[in-house]
Amino acid sequence: MKRIEQHASFGGRQEVWQHASRSTGTPMKFGLYLPPAALRGEQRPVLYWLSGLTCTEQNFITKAGAQAFAAAHGLILVAPDTSPRGEGVADDAAYDLGQGAGFYVNASEPPWAAHYRMQDYVADELPALVEQHFPASGARGICGHSMGGHGALVTALRHPGRYRSVSAFAPIVAPSQVPWGRKALGAYLGADASHWREWDAVHLLGRARERLPLLVDQGEDDEFLDQLRPELLQQACSAAGHALELRMHAGYDHSYYFIASFIGEHIAHHARALAA
Amino acid sequence: MKRIEQHASFGGRQEVWQHASRSTGTPMKFGLYLPPAALRGEQRPVLYWLSGLTCTEQNFITKAGAQAFAAAHGLILVAPDTSPRGEGVADDAAYDLGQGAGFYVNASEPPWAAHYRMQDYVADELPALVEQHFPASGARGICGHSMGGHGALVTALRHPGRYRSVSAFAPIVAPSQVPWGRKALGAYLGADASHWREWDAVHLLGRARERLPLLVDQGEDDEFLDQLRPELLQQACSAAGHALELRMHAGYDHSYYFIASFIGEHIAHHARALAA
């Protein structure tokens, strides 16, 4: 494992690490923010951030402005890349499939199955790695944007007990019902739509075994509302008796300007649960 | 003049505008942040931000995290591109000359003189445009990073009475004495170094006619300290009897992680002077 970037940031340190992943069989990069408390050697909770389509490990760490709040609350932030990458890795010319578009699933279909094991990576390998090498307390939260909002919801729902808090910005809540999700899940998991439900937050909520504090922010001027469908999440939570704080924001779009405007409140949401 | 981007941000609006500049004879872009108070129609002060080498109007608006503080203090932020651009505009293969490297001077030498009139653009044309089209009160501050820190210092020193406050992150304080500056000023202004002094903050401070609140932050691990030379600014201010708050920060480098860590204090510095 190799540190390839480090920058002082709000009294802590923003780093980027690269390592050989056994899940994907490729080199993977992730951003790591260590708050001042972690630099002093304290064991701190970790908030995982999953990014959206086309992103790398860079977008969140350069644009969200999260470090100020992580420093204040003493949270470690971990932000992985969104797919395996490289010459030997299957890809597609479209922005919404292949490299940069892993959808946080474990692919079963060729040519994707060889490397696209992003669920194993983000849910198992990466937390184990982080907790082995950095001053992580073992308390985990998970958060994400768009495709990464889907990833955060699904990863938490598939692993009861693993996270204490979950939140999302403009998540794809029902991938089996929208074009982005149907295209990606069809490619990665095959044409049998019954296999998609295990990767669909709205479906998984119906049998959720735990009740995590769940905060979702959605811009009302989001250009991708037809892919996101926050009303389906609201209906599913209501039917399942799962609490949901869904906040609709007039005027906000799908960009990092939206994320930056509310990331402080998401980090406070996670810090409350992670300190408990 | 055409608005080419707009995003809700911290209750205000981040925009990008493009217009035909008479200073440069090219289309120019600038970022404009309107805080909530300006959206309500109040006339607000404007803080101009000048970016560093290789930057466009995008870097500051996506990476600095300034909007949160501008919203809180009710400041409009204006962040122009760093040079004229386009096919008919002179350029150089190096990153530190030509497009993306205007150095905020008015060039006198071919082939640069035709379009490289960035001082006229940032000091005259852009403020006039902003004050004509947006709810700007007429109170101005100026701030910048690296080449743009040089730009902020020199622009304020060359125009007594035009700005109420000035600050910089890791500025090039004495371009006539360092490689970046000698290369650029030699190209834009010609080989006669006596012409360079009018664009050198350390020289201009010796005859400054006003005393602006001056805040400078510098990272001690900045990889370009030999181009920046903060000690020369300190000596010049001391010799001129000009107050200077120069803050050296252990561990910080030249990146936007450094800027983001302290931009809130710079905006507070400007807000104090601009509200007075």
Side-chain angles (χ1 to χ4, degrees), chain A residues 100-149:
Chain A
F103 269 83
Y104 306 102
V105 304
N106 292 326
S108 57
E109 300 305 298
W112 312 105
H115 297 292
Y116 284 75
R117 309 281 304 176
M118 286 300 290
Q119 180 66 195
D120 285 351
Y121 181 67
V122 300
D124 299 319
E125 183 178 1
L126 185 59
L129 193 78
V130 165
E131 289 164 25
Q132 181 187 347
H133 292 281
F134 304 103
S137 69
R140 305 175 201 99
I142 191 163
C143 182
H145 174 230
S146 194
M147 174 183 76

Short mmCIF file of all heavy atoms in Angstrom, two decimals, chain A residues 100-149:
data_model
loop_
_atom_site.label_atom_id
_atom_site.label_comp_id
_atom_site.label_asym_id
_atom_site.label_seq_id
_atom_site.Cartn_x
_atom_site.Cartn_y
_atom_site.Cartn_z
N GLY A 100 -15.62 3.90 -14.01
CA GLY A 100 -16.28 5.10 -13.48
C GLY A 100 -17.75 4.88 -13.16
O GLY A 100 -18.45 5.80 -12.75
N ALA A 101 -18.24 3.63 -13.33
CA ALA A 101 -19.67 3.36 -13.18
C ALA A 101 -19.91 1.96 -12.60
O ALA A 101 -20.73 1.20 -13.10
CB ALA A 101 -20.37 3.51 -14.53
N GLY A 102 -19.19 1.63 -11.54
CA GLY A 102 -19.26 0.26 -11.01
C GLY A 102 -20.54 -0.08 -10.27
O GLY A 102 -20.83 -1.25 -10.03
N PHE A 103 -21.32 0.92 -9.89
CA PHE A 103 -22.61 0.72 -9.21
C PHE A 103 -22.52 -0.07 -7.90
O PHE A 103 -23.55 -0.47 -7.35
CB PHE A 103 -23.65 0.09 -10.16
CG PHE A 103 -24.45 1.14 -10.91
CD1 PHE A 103 -23.95 1.74 -12.06
CD2 PHE A 103 -25.69 1.56 -10.43
CE1 PHE A 103 -24.67 2.74 -12.73
CE2 PHE A 103 -26.42 2.56 -11.09
CZ PHE A 103 -25.90 3.14 -12.24
N TYR A 104 -21.32 -0.30 -7.40
CA TYR A 104 -21.13 -0.91 -6.08
C TYR A 104 -21.78 -2.29 -5.96
O TYR A 104 -22.23 -2.70 -4.89
CB TYR A 104 -21.62 0.05 -4.98
CG TYR A 104 -20.93 1.40 -5.13
CD1 TYR A 104 -21.58 2.50 -5.69
CD2 TYR A 104 -19.59 1.54 -4.78
CE1 TYR A 104 -20.92 3.71 -5.88
CE2 TYR A 104 -18.92 2.75 -4.98
CZ TYR A 104 -19.61 3.82 -5.52
OH TYR A 104 -18.94 5.01 -5.73
N VAL A 105 -21.81 -3.03 -7.08
CA VAL A 105 -22.31 -4.41 -7.07
C VAL A 105 -21.15 -5.38 -7.29
O VAL A 105 -20.03 -4.98 -7.59
CB VAL A 105 -23.36 -4.63 -8.19
CG1 VAL A 105 -24.51 -3.64 -8.05
CG2 VAL A 105 -22.74 -4.55 -9.58
N ASN A 106 -21.43 -6.68 -7.11
CA ASN A 106 -20.51 -7.73 -7.55
C ASN A 106 -21.07 -8.30 -8.84
O ASN A 106 -22.13 -8.94 -8.84
CB ASN A 106 -20.42 -8.85 -6.51
CG ASN A 106 -19.72 -8.36 -5.24
OD1 ASN A 106 -18.81 -7.55 -5.28
ND2 ASN A 106 -20.15 -8.91 -4.10
N ALA A 107 -20.37 -8.07 -9.95
CA ALA A 107 -20.89 -8.50 -11.25
C ALA A 107 -20.78 -10.02 -11.40
O ALA A 107 -19.82 -10.63 -10.95
CB ALA A 107 -20.12 -7.80 -12.38
N SER A 108 -21.80 -10.59 -12.06
CA SER A 108 -21.78 -12.03 -12.32
C SER A 108 -21.58 -12.34 -13.80
O SER A 108 -21.33 -13.49 -14.16
CB SER A 108 -23.12 -12.64 -11.86
OG SER A 108 -24.20 -11.98 -12.52
N GLU A 109 -21.74 -11.34 -14.65
CA GLU A 109 -21.77 -11.58 -16.10
C GLU A 109 -20.45 -11.19 -16.78
O GLU A 109 -19.83 -10.20 -16.41
CB GLU A 109 -22.90 -10.76 -16.73
CG GLU A 109 -24.27 -11.09 -16.18
CD GLU A 109 -24.60 -12.58 -16.30
OE1 GLU A 109 -24.66 -13.07 -17.44
OE2 GLU A 109 -24.77 -13.23 -15.25
N PRO A 110 -20.06 -11.94 -17.83
CA PRO A 110 -18.93 -11.51 -18.64
C PRO A 110 -19.30 -10.26 -19.44
O PRO A 110 -20.49 -10.13 -19.80
CB PRO A 110 -18.67 -12.70 -19.58
CG PRO A 110 -19.97 -13.43 -19.65
CD PRO A 110 -20.66 -13.19 -18.34
N PRO A 111 -18.36 -9.37 -19.75
CA PRO A 111 -16.94 -9.40 -19.36
C PRO A 111 -16.69 -8.75 -18.00
O PRO A 111 -15.55 -8.57 -17.61
CB PRO A 111 -16.29 -8.56 -20.47
CG PRO A 111 -17.32 -7.48 -20.73
CD PRO A 111 -18.66 -8.17 -20.57
N TRP A 112 -17.76 -8.41 -17.27
CA TRP A 112 -17.62 -7.59 -16.06
C TRP A 112 -17.18 -8.39 -14.84
O TRP A 112 -16.52 -7.85 -13.93
CB TRP A 112 -18.94 -6.87 -15.77
CG TRP A 112 -19.51 -6.20 -16.98
CD1 TRP A 112 -20.57 -6.64 -17.74
CD2 TRP A 112 -19.02 -5.03 -17.63
NE1 TRP A 112 -20.78 -5.79 -18.81
CE2 TRP A 112 -19.84 -4.79 -18.76
CE3 TRP A 112 -17.97 -4.13 -17.35
CZ2 TRP A 112 -19.64 -3.70 -19.62
CZ3 TRP A 112 -17.78 -3.06 -18.21
CH2 TRP A 112 -18.60 -2.86 -19.33
N ALA A 113 -17.56 -9.65 -14.79
CA ALA A 113 -17.37 -10.43 -13.56
C ALA A 113 -15.90 -10.52 -13.12
O ALA A 113 -15.60 -10.66 -11.94
CB ALA A 113 -17.96 -11.83 -13.72
N ALA A 114 -14.98 -10.41 -14.07
CA ALA A 114 -13.56 -10.58 -13.74
C ALA A 114 -13.06 -9.55 -12.73
O ALA A 114 -12.26 -9.88 -11.85
CB ALA A 114 -12.72 -10.50 -15.03
N HIS A 115 -13.49 -8.29 -12.84
CA HIS A 115 -12.94 -7.24 -11.98
C HIS A 115 -13.98 -6.42 -11.22
O HIS A 115 -13.65 -5.78 -10.23
CB HIS A 115 -12.09 -6.27 -12.82
CG HIS A 115 -10.90 -6.91 -13.45
ND1 HIS A 115 -9.82 -7.38 -12.73
CD2 HIS A 115 -10.62 -7.18 -14.75
CE1 HIS A 115 -8.92 -7.90 -13.55
NE2 HIS A 115 -9.37 -7.79 -14.79
N TYR A 116 -15.22 -6.42 -11.70
CA TYR A 116 -16.22 -5.53 -11.10
C TYR A 116 -16.83 -6.17 -9.85
O TYR A 116 -17.95 -6.67 -9.87
CB TYR A 116 -17.28 -5.15 -12.15
CG TYR A 116 -16.77 -4.12 -13.13
CD1 TYR A 116 -15.87 -4.47 -14.13
CD2 TYR A 116 -17.15 -2.79 -13.04
CE1 TYR A 116 -15.36 -3.53 -15.02
CE2 TYR A 116 -16.65 -1.83 -13.93
CZ TYR A 116 -15.76 -2.22 -14.91
OH TYR A 116 -15.26 -1.28 -15.78
N ARG A 117 -16.06 -6.10 -8.73
CA ARG A 117 -16.48 -6.63 -7.43
C ARG A 117 -16.48 -5.49 -6.42
O ARG A 117 -15.88 -5.57 -5.34
CB ARG A 117 -15.51 -7.73 -6.98
CG ARG A 117 -15.23 -8.81 -8.02
CD ARG A 117 -16.31 -9.84 -8.11
NE ARG A 117 -16.60 -10.48 -6.83
CZ ARG A 117 -17.57 -11.37 -6.67
NH1 ARG A 117 -18.37 -11.69 -7.70
NH2 ARG A 117 -17.79 -11.90 -5.49
N MET A 118 -17.16 -4.42 -6.79
CA MET A 118 -17.09 -3.21 -5.97
C MET A 118 -17.80 -3.36 -4.63
O MET A 118 -17.43 -2.72 -3.65
CB MET A 118 -17.65 -2.01 -6.75
CG MET A 118 -16.72 -1.50 -7.84
SD MET A 118 -15.09 -0.95 -7.23
CE MET A 118 -15.53 0.56 -6.35
N GLN A 119 -18.84 -4.21 -4.55
CA GLN A 119 -19.49 -4.41 -3.25
C GLN A 119 -18.54 -5.08 -2.26
O GLN A 119 -18.40 -4.62 -1.12
CB GLN A 119 -20.77 -5.23 -3.39
CG GLN A 119 -21.50 -5.47 -2.08
CD GLN A 119 -22.08 -4.20 -1.42
OE1 GLN A 119 -22.43 -4.21 -0.25
NE2 GLN A 119 -22.16 -3.13 -2.16
N ASP A 120 -17.84 -6.12 -2.70
CA ASP A 120 -16.85 -6.73 -1.83
C ASP A 120 -15.79 -5.71 -1.42
O ASP A 120 -15.33 -5.69 -0.27
CB ASP A 120 -16.14 -7.89 -2.54
CG ASP A 120 -17.02 -9.13 -2.64
OD1 ASP A 120 -18.10 -9.15 -2.02
OD2 ASP A 120 -16.62 -10.06 -3.37
N TYR A 121 -15.42 -4.88 -2.38
CA TYR A 121 -14.37 -3.90 -2.10
C TYR A 121 -14.81 -2.89 -1.05
O TYR A 121 -14.11 -2.68 -0.06
CB TYR A 121 -13.96 -3.19 -3.40
CG TYR A 121 -12.86 -2.18 -3.17
CD1 TYR A 121 -11.59 -2.61 -2.79
CD2 TYR A 121 -13.10 -0.82 -3.27
CE1 TYR A 121 -10.58 -1.69 -2.53
CE2 TYR A 121 -12.10 0.10 -3.01
CZ TYR A 121 -10.84 -0.33 -2.64
OH TYR A 121 -9.85 0.57 -2.37
N VAL A 122 -15.96 -2.25 -1.26
CA VAL A 122 -16.33 -1.16 -0.33
C VAL A 122 -16.86 -1.69 1.00
O VAL A 122 -16.68 -1.04 2.03
CB VAL A 122 -17.34 -0.15 -0.94
CG1 VAL A 122 -16.74 0.49 -2.19
CG2 VAL A 122 -18.69 -0.77 -1.22
N ALA A 123 -17.51 -2.86 1.00
CA ALA A 123 -18.12 -3.34 2.24
C ALA A 123 -17.15 -4.16 3.09
O ALA A 123 -17.27 -4.16 4.32
CB ALA A 123 -19.36 -4.18 1.93
N ASP A 124 -16.22 -4.85 2.46
CA ASP A 124 -15.34 -5.76 3.21
C ASP A 124 -13.87 -5.34 3.18
O ASP A 124 -13.27 -5.06 4.20
CB ASP A 124 -15.48 -7.19 2.66
CG ASP A 124 -16.90 -7.72 2.80
OD1 ASP A 124 -17.51 -7.47 3.87
OD2 ASP A 124 -17.40 -8.35 1.86
N GLU A 125 -13.30 -5.36 1.98
CA GLU A 125 -11.85 -5.18 1.88
C GLU A 125 -11.40 -3.81 2.37
O GLU A 125 -10.43 -3.70 3.14
CB GLU A 125 -11.40 -5.39 0.42
CG GLU A 125 -9.89 -5.28 0.28
CD GLU A 125 -9.39 -5.52 -1.14
OE1 GLU A 125 -10.22 -5.76 -2.04
OE2 GLU A 125 -8.16 -5.47 -1.34
N LEU A 126 -12.09 -2.76 1.93
CA LEU A 126 -11.63 -1.41 2.27
C LEU A 126 -11.75 -1.12 3.77
O LEU A 126 -10.79 -0.63 4.38
CB LEU A 126 -12.40 -0.38 1.43
CG LEU A 126 -11.98 1.07 1.56
CD1 LEU A 126 -10.51 1.27 1.18
CD2 LEU A 126 -12.87 1.96 0.69
N PRO A 127 -12.88 -1.43 4.42
CA PRO A 127 -12.94 -1.21 5.88
C PRO A 127 -11.88 -2.01 6.64
O PRO A 127 -11.26 -1.50 7.59
CB PRO A 127 -14.35 -1.66 6.26
CG PRO A 127 -15.15 -1.50 5.00
CD PRO A 127 -14.20 -1.81 3.87
N ALA A 128 -11.63 -3.25 6.22
CA ALA A 128 -10.61 -4.06 6.90
C ALA A 128 -9.24 -3.40 6.75
O ALA A 128 -8.46 -3.32 7.71
CB ALA A 128 -10.60 -5.48 6.33
N LEU A 129 -8.95 -2.92 5.56
CA LEU A 129 -7.68 -2.26 5.28
C LEU A 129 -7.54 -0.99 6.12
O LEU A 129 -6.49 -0.73 6.75
CB LEU A 129 -7.64 -1.90 3.79
CG LEU A 129 -6.32 -1.48 3.18
CD1 LEU A 129 -5.46 -2.72 2.93
CD2 LEU A 129 -6.57 -0.76 1.85
N VAL A 130 -8.58 -0.19 6.13
CA VAL A 130 -8.55 1.08 6.87
C VAL A 130 -8.38 0.82 8.36
O VAL A 130 -7.59 1.49 9.05
CB VAL A 130 -9.84 1.89 6.59
CG1 VAL A 130 -10.02 3.02 7.60
CG2 VAL A 130 -9.83 2.43 5.16
N GLU A 131 -9.10 -0.19 8.88
CA GLU A 131 -9.03 -0.45 10.32
C GLU A 131 -7.71 -1.10 10.73
O GLU A 131 -7.31 -1.02 11.88
CB GLU A 131 -10.26 -1.26 10.75
CG GLU A 131 -11.50 -0.36 10.69
CD GLU A 131 -12.84 -1.08 10.72
OE1 GLU A 131 -12.88 -2.22 11.25
OE2 GLU A 131 -13.84 -0.52 10.22
N GLN A 132 -7.04 -1.71 9.76
CA GLN A 132 -5.72 -2.28 10.05
C GLN A 132 -4.62 -1.21 10.07
O GLN A 132 -3.71 -1.28 10.91
CB GLN A 132 -5.40 -3.35 8.99
CG GLN A 132 -4.05 -4.04 9.21
CD GLN A 132 -3.71 -4.96 8.03
OE1 GLN A 132 -4.55 -5.27 7.19
NE2 GLN A 132 -2.45 -5.38 7.97
N HIS A 133 -4.71 -0.25 9.16
CA HIS A 133 -3.57 0.65 8.95
C HIS A 133 -3.72 2.04 9.56
O HIS A 133 -2.73 2.77 9.65
CB HIS A 133 -3.30 0.81 7.45
CG HIS A 133 -2.78 -0.44 6.81
ND1 HIS A 133 -1.46 -0.82 6.92
CD2 HIS A 133 -3.40 -1.39 6.09
CE1 HIS A 133 -1.28 -1.96 6.27
NE2 HIS A 133 -2.45 -2.34 5.76
N PHE A 134 -4.93 2.44 9.93
CA PHE A 134 -5.14 3.81 10.38
C PHE A 134 -5.83 3.81 11.74
O PHE A 134 -6.39 2.79 12.14
CB PHE A 134 -5.94 4.59 9.34
CG PHE A 134 -5.29 4.57 7.97
CD1 PHE A 134 -5.77 3.75 6.96
CD2 PHE A 134 -4.16 5.34 7.74
CE1 PHE A 134 -5.14 3.71 5.72
CE2 PHE A 134 -3.51 5.30 6.50
CZ PHE A 134 -4.01 4.48 5.49
N PRO A 135 -5.83 4.95 12.45
CA PRO A 135 -6.41 4.97 13.81
C PRO A 135 -7.94 5.01 13.79
O PRO A 135 -8.55 5.98 14.22
CB PRO A 135 -5.81 6.24 14.42
CG PRO A 135 -5.45 7.11 13.27
CD PRO A 135 -5.14 6.20 12.12
N ALA A 136 -8.54 3.93 13.28
CA ALA A 136 -10.00 3.82 13.15
C ALA A 136 -10.57 3.06 14.33
O ALA A 136 -10.05 2.01 14.71
CB ALA A 136 -10.35 3.10 11.84
N SER A 137 -11.66 3.59 14.89
CA SER A 137 -12.22 3.01 16.10
C SER A 137 -13.05 1.75 15.84
O SER A 137 -13.38 1.02 16.75
CB SER A 137 -13.12 4.04 16.79
OG SER A 137 -14.28 4.26 15.99
N GLY A 138 -13.46 1.56 14.57
CA GLY A 138 -14.36 0.46 14.25
C GLY A 138 -15.80 0.91 14.07
O GLY A 138 -16.61 0.17 13.52
N ALA A 139 -16.16 2.10 14.53
CA ALA A 139 -17.50 2.65 14.28
C ALA A 139 -17.52 3.21 12.87
O ALA A 139 -16.63 3.96 12.48
CB ALA A 139 -17.83 3.74 15.29
N ARG A 140 -18.56 2.83 12.08
CA ARG A 140 -18.61 3.19 10.65
C ARG A 140 -19.93 3.83 10.28
O ARG A 140 -20.99 3.40 10.71
CB ARG A 140 -18.46 1.94 9.78
CG ARG A 140 -17.24 1.11 10.05
CD ARG A 140 -17.24 -0.18 9.22
NE ARG A 140 -16.37 -1.16 9.86
CZ ARG A 140 -16.78 -2.14 10.63
NH1 ARG A 140 -18.08 -2.34 10.85
NH2 ARG A 140 -15.91 -2.96 11.19
N GLY A 141 -19.84 4.86 9.44
CA GLY A 141 -21.01 5.42 8.78
C GLY A 141 -20.77 5.38 7.28
O GLY A 141 -19.63 5.20 6.83
N ILE A 142 -21.85 5.52 6.50
CA ILE A 142 -21.67 5.47 5.05
C ILE A 142 -22.62 6.47 4.39
O ILE A 142 -23.76 6.65 4.82
CB ILE A 142 -21.85 4.03 4.51
CG1 ILE A 142 -21.41 3.94 3.05
CG2 ILE A 142 -23.27 3.52 4.72
CD1 ILE A 142 -21.17 2.50 2.56
N CYS A 143 -22.10 7.11 3.35
CA CYS A 143 -22.77 8.24 2.72
C CYS A 143 -22.37 8.25 1.25
O CYS A 143 -21.32 7.71 0.90
CB CYS A 143 -22.29 9.51 3.42
SG CYS A 143 -22.99 11.05 2.86
N GLY A 144 -23.19 8.83 0.38
CA GLY A 144 -22.79 8.89 -1.02
C GLY A 144 -23.71 9.77 -1.82
O GLY A 144 -24.72 10.28 -1.32
N HIS A 145 -23.37 9.91 -3.10
CA HIS A 145 -24.07 10.83 -4.01
C HIS A 145 -24.48 10.08 -5.27
O HIS A 145 -23.66 9.43 -5.90
CB HIS A 145 -23.11 11.96 -4.39
CG HIS A 145 -23.64 12.90 -5.45
ND1 HIS A 145 -22.91 13.25 -6.57
CD2 HIS A 145 -24.82 13.56 -5.55
CE1 HIS A 145 -23.62 14.08 -7.30
NE2 HIS A 145 -24.77 14.30 -6.72
N SER A 146 -25.76 10.17 -5.62
CA SER A 146 -26.26 9.66 -6.90
C SER A 146 -26.01 8.15 -6.98
O SER A 146 -26.52 7.41 -6.14
CB SER A 146 -25.60 10.44 -8.03
OG SER A 146 -26.26 10.21 -9.25
N MET A 147 -25.22 7.64 -7.93
CA MET A 147 -24.87 6.22 -7.94
C MET A 147 -24.27 5.82 -6.59
O MET A 147 -24.50 4.70 -6.10
CB MET A 147 -23.89 5.92 -9.07
CG MET A 147 -23.34 4.50 -9.07
SD MET A 147 -22.10 4.20 -10.37
CE MET A 147 -20.66 5.01 -9.68
N GLY A 148 -23.51 6.72 -5.98
CA GLY A 148 -22.92 6.44 -4.66
C GLY A 148 -23.93 6.53 -3.52
O GLY A 148 -23.72 5.92 -2.47
N GLY A 149 -25.02 7.26 -3.74
CA GLY A 149 -26.11 7.27 -2.76
C GLY A 149 -26.80 5.91 -2.76
O GLY A 149 -27.09 5.34 -1.70
#
